[in-house]
Amino acid sequence: ACRRVLNPHLSSRFLLAAKGRNSFTSTTFQVNDGYAMIRNQKRSKDYVKAIKDCRKDFKGAVRLLNQMRQERQGSDVYAFASAISVCGNAGQWGEALALLSKMEYDNIEPNVVCFNSAISACGRAGKWQEALKLFSTLQKREITITVVSCNAAISACAKAGKWKEALEIFEDMDRMQNGTTTGVAPDVVTFSACISACEKGLQWAKAVQLLEMMSACGVAPNVVSFNAAISACAKGRQWRRALSLLDDMEVRGLHADIVSVNSAVTACARASERGDVQWASALSLLRSTHARFGVEPDVVTYSAAMSACDNGGEWAQALTLFDELVALAAAEKLGEEEEEEGAAESGGGGGGSDCGGGGNPKSSSKSLGENSNSNPKRRRLRLQPDVFVFGAA
């Protein structure tokens, strides 16, 4: 059968000699059908690739999908999954659910990728109830549930601060059907999402417990996991736990970022609110940020340290930090302005070659786009004082 499709002349001569004219006609139709099927498959793959390339252009993705359906190119589950994913990236959860409905209309069974993308779309939009409904539907169907499915549902709950619902999914993972086996193993994303849910739900103890559980489950925590746990401790005014977790990151060889430092400084500031004065710890973290962690403090770091000093009655130290921040912010702004002027001069220097016709329009437009992206007015300066800084001062 394969030979007849790939080499129609050879197979047609063979069948003509063996069975006569009628067999030759039948084989010709088989050959034409085979080539048509190959063309349709190639056309379908082209559509799927074009839909994926839309990235966040959900209207373009839906338009391509509808065009594929109208041309009867056999819109398949992969095309729908790609379009749903684009809708999710664009935050269009309604469009994602509408595409799932269209799949039923076209008698196409959604696979786990379609459900995962739709759940993620609902989660990004804060529609955690819709995300859980989709996850429940996925569980009822005979579709293999993956860790990505669980992560999408847990992340939807985490974004909404629904820590109980997130932990309920986490605890049920052992009983979920995963193909021929029972149980879905959590990964670092699963734990990080659960810790984040507990952080938003002001459940610092559960967040720390989950972080400690990771090693027992053979999952190595990352910076995101630690940051969520440190932030949970900060909200729970557990400054000792926060600083201990920051030390633990160094022991594990993880590079703490500015989010890690800011959460720890905030923990010290909030401890001072209830009389447990930790302004010295906050100030020490601020001063050692660059040398110890290799990052520069930003306006959040200074604001939290100033609050810690204020709560500890060290108003003079708080004002010193404010003056320091203002000076750093002025230097940062000056540097950004000089960078903008240098970029403008560099961009203007190449205008003559374009006028002469020898320039490359594509490279010219590219450099113009790069200058546009590097415009400091389009970026938020890291050290500019805000209302919280002035309030602390």
Side-chain angles (χ1 to χ4, degrees), residues 253-274:
L254 293 174
H255 298 286
D257 56 17
I258 192 61
V259 177
S260 318
V261 176
N262 289 345
S263 297
V265 176
T266 300
C268 296
R270 290 183 174 174
S272 300
E273 290 177 359
R274 61 177 188 179

Side-chain angles (χ1 to χ4, degrees), residues 221-270:
N222 58 15
V223 174
V224 177
S225 314
F226 271 98
N227 285 354
I230 294 173
S231 180
C233 292
K235 290 183 178 180
R237 294 185 173 87
Q238 301 296 318
W239 67 272
R240 288 187 178 86
R241 280 281 193 174
L243 296 186
S244 176
L245 291 177
L246 194 62
D247 294 337
D248 193 17
M249 291 182 70
E250 290 185 288
V251 173
R252 291 173 177 266
L254 293 174
H255 298 286
D257 56 17
I258 192 61
V259 177
S260 318
V261 176
N262 289 345
S263 297
V265 176
T266 300
C268 296
R270 290 183 174 174

